[in-house]
Structures are given as structure tokens and as C-alpha cells.
Amino acid sequence: AHKLNHSKRDKLEYVDTSDSGNAITVNVDYMWVSKATQHQDFKVTMKMFDNPTVAEAQLRDDWPLWEKAIRKEFDQLKARGTWEHVDGSLVHKRPLGTKLVLKIKRDARTNEIEKYKARLTVQGFRQIQGYDYTKTTSPVTVYATFLFTIAHATRHGRKLKTMDFAGAFLFPYLQEEIYMKLPQFYEAESGTLLKLRKSLYGLKQASREWYLALTDALSKVGFKQAQIELDQCLFYHDELDIYLCVHVDDCFLSYEKEENVKELVKRLEQMNFEFSVVEELRKGLGLSIARDGESVVVSQPQYVDFIINEFRNTLAEKQGSCHTPIQKWFDETKEDDKPVDPTQYQSLLGCLSHLGRMTRPDIIQATFHLAQFSHKPSEKHWSGLSRIVHYLSQTKLNGIQFERKCETPWSFYVDADWAGDLSTRRSTTGYLIKYQNGPLICVSRRQRCVTLSSTEAEYCAFTDVAKDIIWTRRLAEFFKEEFPQPAILLNDNITAQNLADGEMTLNRMKHIDALKKHSGVRFHWIRELIADGLIELKHVSSQDNQSDLFTKPLSRVIHERLRDKVMNSTWKKLKDKEKYESLDAFTWFQKETGTTIEIEINSLMAQIGA
């Protein structure tokens, strides 16, 4: 992006250089920026370039492309019978307004522009509950289910595809009577209103209506839906041997025979669904998925780019090297601390939390810890978030990896620090569930009560991980996958293990039963699972306990060792200096921002052990 400081009659040239092989130049009118920001000293970001308003798009040289996308959207809506024209004088119900949303869709792996897209939305925020709509609940697939589908297909050599429904929210019919005003650029007689016959983007009930219509259709073609306690968006077709995960209008398929998918497509087309089937699952849910037959790597390099481009002007300066996402625990904001904007803090925190939950478990603990200060952040907390971003810029290409050949498909780890939270003195639980050597579930969570010893903290952590182990067992049963009986839960506290096994009692643990009734039941539940043979506790050294990554700040050596084990990915050791200099992970930031970065090759090569 270019810094703007010109006269109002100038034409400014914006060059999108986010990908060196796909540079795009578009001229924009200075008034586009001036009206939007009311400030002459302003930088155009990729977000503004990819998501302009209609007024902004009209001032750009690529307006014909946007205009074409708008006409295509109207034609699609009319062809589907989304609305019908009515005389506005005969309508006694308040019509809703509309808005055109413009967006450039890019490839999740290469960042190349795929198409210009326009979406007509209705102003659903003006709807009244009980008058314009009733229920709005609409589930999406659990992320762990999505990862398990990929890993399961990798292990058994199954194929993966994605099915994208066109105009998903426009398929179901509405039960309520809703009118809307004529959209911008839509040609119709004056005084005409549009009565919605089908759902439209922006309506509060649109997502729910689509979910109900899709699940009903899948049931009719022979799919069996998983129980609500497992995942409402997981389906299996016994005849065609197809597993299907639903995330709004994206469906992810795992199958063996190509003719079975063709049969499924044929049945859905007979029900008037419009969709496209991609030959191979390479992206989905904003993820980049690379598969070579023996393993699959799931990463989000483009999302890291987005975070840095979005917040690069406000990030705190880099203080030394950032080889770990967090260096120490933080405490609450004090009176003499300089506060920062909570909105901006929460915005960056949300981005990092999403990234950590999806493909970067190495930043989960740092993000979780800094989230507790979101109501009143200070500069020290903002510098903590900035450190995470600097750390991500150095490890942009990292992701999680699932392997096809694995001696032990399942592994379970649990750990807890003791009284690590400086404000409440509560402990932090961390646990990890792995499948095919890749992380399936990673959790870093502050415990609900203060524990009086490290043994008690570890004992309470057993219950948290046990709940997810039981859920994972049910998931494996749905996929007809083998699950260890019992599940071996690795921990590094022998005293807590013996206590859970019922082999010893401690006077200092008597107070657990003296707590509220549900507290005693919750913490002692692990004993019942052990007695039933569902879980078995096994000791492992602290050095080999991978869940230690989620409990506290670690030194660089320990963090990198555990990170590589948890994510099942390591940096390639490059001895060739020229190859190392060309590695995208260390040169992309300079291409993105135009900032000069001095890289000491010898020092960096020594750090990765090359």
C-alpha cells in the first residue's frame, strides 16, 4: 500500500503486492480515501482494497468488474424465484432495507484473486423477534471433527473432496412474511416492493433455514446424522460409504469410490441443489491443506499475512528476539500503567485466538493468558500480543501434520502448573489429544477454583481431559475407527496418579469433598472412569509431557522442542546459504511491507541447527 498525501484531483495508483507473482495495479480516486477516512495522511490496506463499499468501487478502474458481479447476483436471485414484485401501497408491514456487499475472493494458498463477488443482503438488524422471526440457532461442524475426517482419510487412503453449494441461503423457503425495499441498481417500477419467498443473506433466520433444509435433504438421500451430543453437522452414508462434514454452505467429503460421489451428486441435483465439487480438498474453513499421500499438512499462512497487514501500524516495537510467543506471566493493569484501546486489543486477540485454535497450538497458552486482560488492557499487555505476532512472522509456514503410517494412532497428555495466575492464584490446565501423530484437541484453560498443591492441580486436570477423551471415543466409534481400551493418559505427577487410582489418600486432599456437592463429584469422576477400564493413567517424564506447552511460559529450547512434537512439524535444515536466503518464511515480510529487514544468515542457521 502507498502512503497518501496528494491533492484531491490526483489519481492514486494502488499496487497489490501481497504475492510477488500476482501483482495487480488499480487506479483509485483520491476522494475514495478522503471521504472514507477524513484524513490525508492515510494508508490503503488490503482489506480496503478487497472489501470496498459501492461508492468506493465506483471510483476505481475495476468498477466494470464489480458492476458485472452485481448484475450476476441479481440474475441469480431472480432465476431462483427469491422474491416477487408487489405494490407498495397495498403493504401494511414495514419493509427492510438492503445493502450490496462487495468482496474479492482469493485463493487460500497462493493469495491470487479468484473472482469479484457481489452479495445482496437484507438489513436483518431491523427485524423484530416474534414478528419477523422466531429461532435463529444453526450449528456448524466441530473443528476437531473436521481434523479427524482429514486424518482418518489419510490413514486409510480415502479421498477428500469439498462440495460448495451456490447461493445456499437462497434455497429454503421462508415461513414468515417479509418485504424489502428495491436494491441499489435494481430496475423496477417506482413504488414497488419485493416480497421475499425464499431466504436471503442478512436475515436472522437465514442460516437456520438453510441448515434445516440441508439436513432434511441429506436424510432423504440416505445419510445418517450423528447424535446431537457428538456433532450435529456430521453425516455418514452407509450404502455409498461417504462421511460428510457440514460448515454452513461447505461440505467436506471422505470416500473411497469415485462412482459413489457421482451417485450422490446425481441425487442432490434431482432435489434442485446447485453446487460445485472440487476434485481435491486443498482448502476449507480458511485453511491451506497440502496432501502427498503419506501425510497431510494443515496451515494458515495467508491468515498470518492478514493479521500483520491489519495491525502492522499499531504493533509494539520488537524487543529483542521473539523465539517464543510469551516470555513471562502478566498481571492486572495498575494505576500507573498506560491503557490502550480495548476495541483494538480485543480485535487482535480474536484473530490470534482463531489462529491458535485452528492450526497454531503453539500460541494457545499465550493467547489464553492475555485474554483475561481484554476488559482493561495496558501497554504491557499490548506488547505481549505484539510479541505473538512477531513470533508468527518468523514461523509463518508452520502448521500441523497428520501421518499415514503411525505405530500408535492415539496419544493423550495432561499437565497443570500450580497457582500460575498472578491475580487469582489459580492453576492452568493443559491437555493434548493426538491422532496419527497430529494434534486433534489442544486446550489451555484456567481452573475453576484455587488448588492448594501441585498434586491437587494435576488431579483436577484429569477430569477436564477425561471429558474430551470420552467425546473422542464416540467420534471414533462413528467413524468405525479403533480406539484404545483403556485410553492411556500420560501425566508427570505420580502422587496425583496414585490418588486417582485410589492407591493412597492424603489428609491435605480431604477438603475436596467438603466443597460444593458438584465439585466433589466432578473431581472424583476420574476414579470411576479408571474403575470402568475407560482410562488408565501412566507416568511420563516432564521433559516428554507434550501438554507442558499449554500450561506456562517456556524457554526457547524447551518451547521449540515441544512445539515440533505437538505440531509434528520441524524446520528444514538448509546448509546451502543461497537456498536459505530464498526461503519464503524469512523474506515474505519484506515483500509485504517494503520494510528492510537485516537477516544475519550465520546466526539464524546456527539457531535452527543447520
Side-chain angles (χ1 to χ4, degrees):
H2 295 280
K3 192 172 183 179
L4 305 180
N5 191 8
H6 302 264
S7 66
K8 295 183 178 181
R9 290 178 293 180
D10 287 349
K11 271 281 188 178
L12 303 179
E13 186 178 84
Y14 173 77
V15 182
D16 176 17
T17 58
S18 55
D19 188 279
S20 58
N22 186 44
I24 297 176
T25 302
V26 175
N27 291 325
V28 297
D29 197 301
Y30 174 76
M31 291 300 295
W32 166 43
V33 178
S34 179
K35 291 179 181 179
T37 65
Q38 300 299 316
H39 201 288
Q40 294 185 1
D41 190 11
F42 179 76
K43 290 187 177 181
V44 180
T45 63
M46 182 183 295
K47 184 177 181 180
M48 286 187 62
F49 179 77
D50 285 0
N51 302 87
T53 64
V54 173
E56 294 167 353
Q58 286 180 297
L59 298 175
R60 292 166 41 165
D61 286 357
D62 57 350
W63 167 245
L65 297 176
W66 292 116
E67 197 173 18
K68 181 179 178 182
I70 293 173
R71 288 197 302 268
K72 182 179 178 181
E73 173 72 0
F74 288 153
D75 293 341
Q76 182 185 31
L77 293 175
K78 289 189 289 186
R80 289 175 174 269
T82 307
W83 56 61
E84 59 180 280
H85 292 205
V86 296
D87 187 354
S89 61
L90 303 178
V91 176
H92 302 286
K93 193 173 183 180
R94 183 188 62 176
L96 302 176
T98 62
K99 181 180 179 180
L100 283 168
V101 178
L102 308 181
K103 182 179 180 180
I104 292 178
K105 295 198 69 174
R106 295 178 179 269
D107 187 274
R109 297 176 296 110
T110 63
N111 209 36
E112 294 181 355
I113 292 179
E114 291 183 338
K115 62 179 178 180
Y116 285 71
K117 190 171 184 178
R119 180 75 72 190
L120 177 63
T121 62
V122 65
Q123 294 178 344
F125 60 87
R126 296 185 180 276
Q127 289 183 269
I128 301 175
Q129 187 173 10
Y131 183 67
D132 295 315
Y133 70 98
T134 52
K135 297 181 179 180
T136 61
T137 305
S138 176
V140 294
T141 187
V142 179
Y143 179 59
T145 302
F146 176 70
L147 287 183
F148 186 86
T149 303
I150 295 176
H152 177 265
T154 302
R155 180 183 184 186
H156 296 281
R158 299 172 63 91
K159 300 176 183 178
L160 293 168
K161 280 187 179 182
T162 179
M163 180 184 297
D164 184 13
F165 287 88
F169 286 9
L170 312 177
F171 180 82
Y173 285 88
L174 282 177
Q175 304 299 324
E176 300 82 7
E177 185 179 358
I178 297 178
Y179 299 89
M180 71 176 190
K181 301 176 183 177
L182 294 178
Q184 189 177 7
F185 306 115
Y186 185 81
E187 298 180 358
E189 295 182 3
S190 178
T192 301
L193 293 180
L194 302 180
K195 180 182 179 181
L196 291 178
R197 299 178 62 249
K198 292 187 175 183
S199 178
L200 193 64
Y201 292 90
L203 290 176
K204 290 184 177 294
Q205 67 268 43
S207 181
R208 176 179 176 82
E209 294 294 337
W210 160 248
Y211 169 77
L212 294 176
L214 179 61
T215 53
D216 180 65
L218 292 177
S219 176
K220 290 180 179 179
V221 298
F223 275 95
K224 176 185 176 182
Q225 187 177 14
Q227 296 179 352
I228 186 174
E229 295 81 7
L230 181 59
D231 190 343
Q232 298 181 68
C233 296
L234 177 61
F235 300 82
Y236 176 65
H237 200 296
D238 188 54
E239 177 189 351
L240 302 179
D241 189 22
I242 296 177
Y243 292 98
L244 188 146
C245 293
V246 176
H247 186 91
V248 192
D249 60 345
D250 291 326
C251 295
F252 307 100
L253 288 72
S254 170
Y255 64 98
E256 286 188 349
K257 298 180 179 179
E258 194 72 35
E259 54 267 24
N260 290 347
V261 176
K262 294 180 180 179
E263 176 63 23
L264 173 61
V265 170
K266 179 181 178 181
R267 296 182 185 181
L268 290 176
E269 287 179 343
Q270 291 176 352
M271 304 181 71
N272 298 323
F273 280 98
E274 296 182 13
F275 52 86
S276 58
V277 180
V278 180
E279 290 301 321
E280 183 180 358
L281 179 61
R282 294 187 177 182
K283 60 180 181 178
L285 306 184
L287 308 176
S288 175
I289 303 170
R291 187 182 185 189
D292 60 4
E294 296 299 323
S295 65
V296 58
V297 178
V298 185
S299 59
Q300 289 177 283
Q302 185 188 14
Y303 194 70
V304 176
D305 289 348
F306 167 77
I307 293 176
I308 295 177
N309 281 320
E310 189 70 14
F311 298 96
R312 63 185 176 188
N313 295 330
T314 57
L315 292 176
E317 293 185 3
K318 185 177 180 181
Q319 302 293 333
S321 59
C322 297
H323 299 292
T324 60
I326 188 171
Q327 194 172 20
K328 62 179 181 179
W329 291 105
F330 291 89
D331 55 4
E332 294 282 356
T333 301
K334 300 178 180 179
E335 293 183 0
D336 55 344
D337 292 337
K338 186 177 180 180
V340 298
D341 181 14
T343 302
Q344 188 177 52
Y345 184 91
Q346 293 167 10
S347 178
L348 177 55
L349 180 66
C351 293
L352 295 176
S353 299
H354 172 76
L355 184 65
R357 185 178 68 90
M358 302 292 274
T359 59
R360 296 302 299 266
D362 51 334
I363 69 170
I364 285 181
Q365 188 274 325
T367 307
F368 146 78
H369 174 67
L370 291 168
Q372 60 184 308
F373 310 110
S374 59
H375 64 289
K376 190 179 179 182
S378 63
E379 277 193 342
K380 61 184 178 183
H381 303 134
W382 180 252
S383 65
L385 288 183
S386 299
R387 179 186 175 89
I388 299 177
V389 178
H390 294 314
Y391 167 78
L392 291 173
S393 69
Q394 300 175 8
T395 58
K396 170 191 173 184
L397 301 181
N398 277 17
I400 58 178
Q401 178 176 237
F402 299 95
E403 298 176 353
R404 180 175 184 178
K405 297 180 180 179
C406 182
E407 296 181 0
T408 307
W410 294 94
S411 53
F412 311 89
Y413 297 87
V414 64
D415 194 16
D417 78 326
W418 180 50
D421 189 273
L422 300 178
S423 302
T424 63
R425 306 311 297 181
R426 294 186 182 182
S427 304
T428 301
T429 293
Y431 60 85
L432 169 68
I433 297 179
K434 301 185 72 175
Y435 176 66
Q436 295 303 116
N437 272 345
L440 194 64
I441 299 178
C442 307
V443 173
S444 178
R445 179 184 301 150
R446 189 171 62 182
Q447 295 185 353
R448 298 181 180 181
C449 61
V450 176
T451 52
L452 306 183
S453 66
S454 59
T455 297
E456 185 179 338
E458 297 268 4
Y459 183 72
C460 294
F462 293 161
T463 298
D464 289 334
V465 65
K467 291 184 289 186
D468 271 334
I469 290 177
I470 298 301
W471 180 86
T472 307
R473 176 187 296 275
R474 299 181 62 185
L475 180 65
E477 290 175 353
F478 187 86
F479 277 83
K480 303 177 182 179
E481 180 72 350
E482 295 181 359
F483 195 85
Q485 182 77 13
I488 307 299
L489 180 57
L490 303 176
N491 69 96
D492 56 10
N493 192 303
I494 296 179
T495 307
Q497 176 179 320
N498 293 337
L499 187 66
D501 289 334
E503 298 179 0
M504 62 179 296
T505 58
L506 295 176
N507 289 333
R508 60 188 179 188
M509 298 292 288
K510 291 181 178 180
H511 65 280
I512 289 184
D513 288 325
L515 295 173
K516 295 179 180 180
K517 182 178 180 180
H518 69 276
S519 300
V521 173
R522 180 172 69 246
F523 295 141
H524 290 319
W525 180 55
I526 184 66
R527 295 181 178 179
E528 181 178 341
L529 297 178
I530 294 175
D532 292 342
L534 297 178
I535 293 179
E536 178 183 342
L537 297 177
K538 185 177 180 179
H539 181 263
V540 67
S541 66
S542 298
Q543 294 181 348
D544 296 328
N545 191 347
Q546 299 181 23
S547 59
D548 194 34
L549 184 68
F550 310 126
T551 59
K552 54 186 173 292
L554 301 172
S555 65
R556 175 192 170 189
V557 175
I558 299 177
H559 171 81
E560 291 181 349
R561 177 172 57 83
L562 292 179
R563 177 196 66 190
D564 293 342
K565 287 184 177 180
V566 170
M567 301 175 64
N568 193 25
S569 61
T570 56
W571 282 97
K572 295 181 180 179
K573 297 182 179 180
L574 302 177
K575 296 183 180 181
D576 190 338
K577 181 177 179 180
E578 293 182 358
K579 290 183 179 179
Y580 186 80
E581 286 179 308
S582 65
L583 190 62
D584 289 342
F586 295 92
T587 59
W588 68 272
F589 190 79
Q590 184 175 1
K591 296 178 182 179
E592 288 285 346
T593 63
T595 305
T596 302
I597 301 176
E598 296 182 1
I599 302 178
E600 297 180 4
I601 301 299
N602 295 333
S603 174
L604 289 174
M605 292 180 68
Q607 291 173 10
I608 65 171

